[in-house]
Amino acid sequence: MRGIYPGTFDPITNGHLDIIKRATRIVDSLVVAVGHNTEKVRTFGLDARLDMVRSSVTDCPNVEVVSFSTLLVEAAREYQADVIIRGLRAISDYEHEVQMAIMNRTLDPDIDTIIMVSSKEYSFISSSMIKEIASFGGDISPFVPESVLKYFDQLI
Ligand code: COA
């Protein structure tokens, strides 16, 4: 079984990485698909977000990192994924994730969604919170892969 794990990854966090590592124990191969949510303003450009994800998964076997700018279900078909992987951090994510899963299955009944519950140590992390902490000079090293830290030097 092949999975696709989509996100904006602005930036990738240890929470995303936890889902990627756990997902690779379920699926045979995983495509991490860097896209964007049209309702959000991005901080990092596509190339930086791709580089950050790629540098974070170097020790993850059977993980491929791609970008997409289509509907998620179209990207899933393009990369021959059988299943969409999403993380659920808290009850506040629930409505959005269920809505996405139902919408995607309506668009393509052949592609189902597996929603994985975040590990408790990562259930409070979000990309925007990390960016806010960094903008005040706070230490973000507990929240992002080490290879991601240098991208913040360019921001400040
Ligand atoms: N650990 C830590 N943080 C996590 C997380 C985890 N396991 N899972 C999600 N998050 C955070 C992210 O950091 C992000 O935080 P932010 O809001 O502070 O930036 C937030 O949760 C959710 O972002 P993300 O995972 O990137 O997903 P999204 O809900 O913004 O969706 C796409 C992004 C690209 C998957 C979605 O917009 C998409 O599918 N677009 C394609 C167009 C399409 O098909 N639309 C119809 C979909 S129904």
Side-chain angles (χ1 to χ4, degrees), residues 48-87:
R49 285 181 288 128
L50 274 169
D51 284 351
M52 285 189 272
V53 177
R54 287 201 173 111
S55 65
S56 305
V57 300
T58 48
D59 63 342
C60 302
N62 304 327
V63 173
E64 183 189 345
V65 182
V66 301
S67 66
F68 76 106
S69 54
T70 58
L71 280 175
L72 173 56
V73 289
E74 287 170 14
R77 282 195 291 265
E78 182 180 350
Y79 293 103
Q80 279 117 41
D82 309 291
V83 70
I84 295 166
I85 306 280
R86 290 286 291 175

Side-chain angles (χ1 to χ4, degrees), residues 126-143:
S126 78
S127 300
S128 21
M129 205 175 277
I130 288 167
K131 287 181 280 192
E132 190 184 344
I133 293 167
S135 73
F136 285 100
D139 177 18
I140 57 163
S141 61
F143 311 121

Side-chain angles (χ1 to χ4, degrees), residues 12 14 17 48 51-58 144-152:
I12 185 170
N14 287 338
L17 195 55
D51 284 351
M52 285 189 272
V53 177
R54 287 201 173 111
S55 65
S56 305
V57 300
T58 48
V144 295
E146 206 190 326
S147 62
V148 165
L149 290 172
K150 65 174 182 289
Y151 292 85
F152 280 84

Side-chain angles (χ1 to χ4, degrees), residues 5-11 13-16 19 33-38 40 68 70-73 86-89 93 96-97 99-101 103-104 107 118 122 125-129 131:
Y5 179 48
T8 309
F9 303 110
D10 189 31
T13 69
N14 287 338
H16 294 124
I19 298 285
V34 181
H36 83 270
N37 183 334
T38 47
K40 288 182 186 169
F68 76 106
T70 58
L71 280 175
L72 173 56
V73 289
R86 290 286 291 175
L88 184 78
R89 290 165 299 170
D93 284 344
H96 177 62
E97 293 306 328
Q99 201 176 7
M100 255 184 85
M103 197 57 88
N104 283 325
L107 290 169
S118 288
Y122 304 122
I125 299 182
S126 78
S127 300
S128 21
M129 205 175 277
K131 287 181 280 192

